[in-house]
Amino acid sequence: LRSAFEEFFQREDTFTLGVGNGAQVLSHLQALIPGAEHWPAFKRNRSDQLEARVALVEVVASPSIFLQGMEGSRLPVPVGHAEGRAVEVDASQVALRFVDERGAVASTYPANPNGSEEGATGFTSTDGRVTALMPHPERVFRVVQNSWYPAEWQQQEAGPWLRMFRNARRWVADN
């Protein structure tokens, strides 16, 4: 199995998205993923409980193929994990971070629901082909899936997180 994973991650025509438990799996495979050697480990939330809520995140400039063109966006996103606290964070590989209502990096609970260093909650490999996110943007890719949304979103079907999947499709078409 190890050799199959190594072969997959070495190929330049593949990409991977790990969300929630998938992000935890990818963090355990980091030694096999080129450019992910410094990803953090995910530990028990500081609250010592499952956190299931909506949080505010900011997309950080990164090479992630999923997050291209989304840099600087501050978006609501569901979280649902008990072991999402990123420790030993390398800021150069952060792709997503929790922020507070003013847009500042969230360092305290509940704006940072797991207690991750520097609010870090999403990471990407140096080439951007592998991305690990603890929040669950796949749960709100349509506007109506959000518990709340601004009035300007009412006239559209696609929520802002759908762009991640459109970016992946574009990457496939271009490669």
Side-chain angles (χ1 to χ4, degrees), residues 119-138:
T121 192
F123 305 88
T124 193
S125 58
T126 54
D127 67 2
R129 291 185 307 110
V130 183
T131 300
L133 307 175
M134 282 311 298
H136 289 272
E138 83 287 359

Side-chain angles (χ1 to χ4, degrees), residues 2-50:
R2 180 185 178 95
S3 63
F5 274 120
E6 279 181 314
E7 182 180 322
F8 177 83
F9 290 126
Q10 292 295 328
R11 289 177 37 199
E12 293 184 10
D13 63 341
T14 65
F15 63 90
T16 305
L17 174 64
V19 177
N21 290 354
Q24 293 167 338
V25 168
L26 289 177
S27 76
H28 289 290
L29 297 175
Q30 67 173 315
L32 307 179
I33 303 169
E37 297 84 8
H38 302 292
W39 278 9
F42 291 106
K43 303 293 183 185
R44 189 103 176 124
N45 295 341
R46 287 224 185 273
S47 66
D48 200 30
Q49 65 185 7
L50 171 75

Side-chain angles (χ1 to χ4, degrees), residues 8-146:
F8 177 83
F9 290 126
Q10 292 295 328
R11 289 177 37 199
E12 293 184 10
D13 63 341
T14 65
F15 63 90
T16 305
L17 174 64
V19 177
N21 290 354
Q24 293 167 338
V25 168
L26 289 177
S27 76
H28 289 290
L29 297 175
Q30 67 173 315
L32 307 179
I33 303 169
E37 297 84 8
H38 302 292
W39 278 9
F42 291 106
K43 303 293 183 185
R44 189 103 176 124
N45 295 341
R46 287 224 185 273
S47 66
D48 200 30
Q49 65 185 7
L50 171 75
E51 294 295 338
R53 65 180 69 242
V54 173
L56 186 61
V57 295
E58 179 178 41
V59 180
V60 178
S62 78
S64 172
I65 67 167
F66 295 95
L67 301 171
Q68 290 304 296
M70 298 176 69
E71 301 86 357
S73 298
R74 293 183 188 142
L75 302 167
V77 66
V79 296
H81 54 263
E83 297 171 346
R85 181 171 51 94
V87 296
E88 298 180 25
V89 172
D90 178 345
S92 71
Q93 295 190 307
V94 173
L96 204 65
R97 63 182 172 203
F98 293 114
V99 293
D100 64 21
E101 69 281 357
R102 293 178 305 282
V105 173
S107 57
T108 58
Y109 185 87
N112 181 336
N114 52 33
S116 290
E117 298 171 14
E118 301 298 316
T121 192
F123 305 88
T124 193
S125 58
T126 54
D127 67 2
R129 291 185 307 110
V130 183
T131 300
L133 307 175
M134 282 311 298
H136 289 272
E138 83 287 359
R139 295 181 183 174
V140 289
F141 63 91
R142 295 179 60 217
V143 168
V144 297
Q145 292 172 304
N146 289 269

